[in-house]
Amino acid sequence: MALKIRLSRGGSKIRPFYKVVIADSRSPRDGRFIEKVGHFNPLLPKDNSDRLKLDLEKIKEWIG
């Protein structure tokens, strides 16, 4: 099974919100995923610390 780290889109048409997920490469973008490892909010200012949150320990486990 080939896995990818990808963004899954949520939110409304004008206000997007993305989850960073581990998913099977054959599943669609917003479809089934294995684990959520973070989130990304593009509407926040670039210098805001809450714009991108990642669980680096989980990501390292999945890469390893």
Side-chain angles (χ1 to χ4, degrees), residues 39-58:
H39 68 271
F40 172 64
N41 189 351
L43 298 177
L44 294 176
K46 290 185 178 182
D47 59 346
N48 193 332
S49 63
D50 290 334
R51 184 177 168 120
L52 176 65
K53 289 285 185 177
L54 297 173
D55 189 349
L56 296 178
E57 293 178 12
K58 287 184 183 178

Side-chain angles (χ1 to χ4, degrees), residues 1-63:
M1 176 169 62
L3 299 176
K4 288 189 176 183
I5 299 173
R6 64 167 61 149
L7 296 175
S8 176
R9 191 178 194 280
S12 64
K13 188 185 236 182
I14 300 172
R15 301 181 54 80
F17 185 82
Y18 298 93
K19 293 184 283 188
V20 182
V21 296
I22 306 292
D24 185 10
S25 63
R26 296 170 290 179
S27 65
R29 178 191 70 183
D30 297 332
R32 193 177 72 198
F33 61 90
I34 299 169
E35 185 174 6
K36 180 182 170 188
V37 293
H39 68 271
F40 172 64
N41 189 351
L43 298 177
L44 294 176
K46 290 185 178 182
D47 59 346
N48 193 332
S49 63
D50 290 334
R51 184 177 168 120
L52 176 65
K53 289 285 185 177
L54 297 173
D55 189 349
L56 296 178
E57 293 178 12
K58 287 184 183 178
I59 292 173
K60 287 179 184 177
E61 286 179 26
W62 280 105
I63 290 176

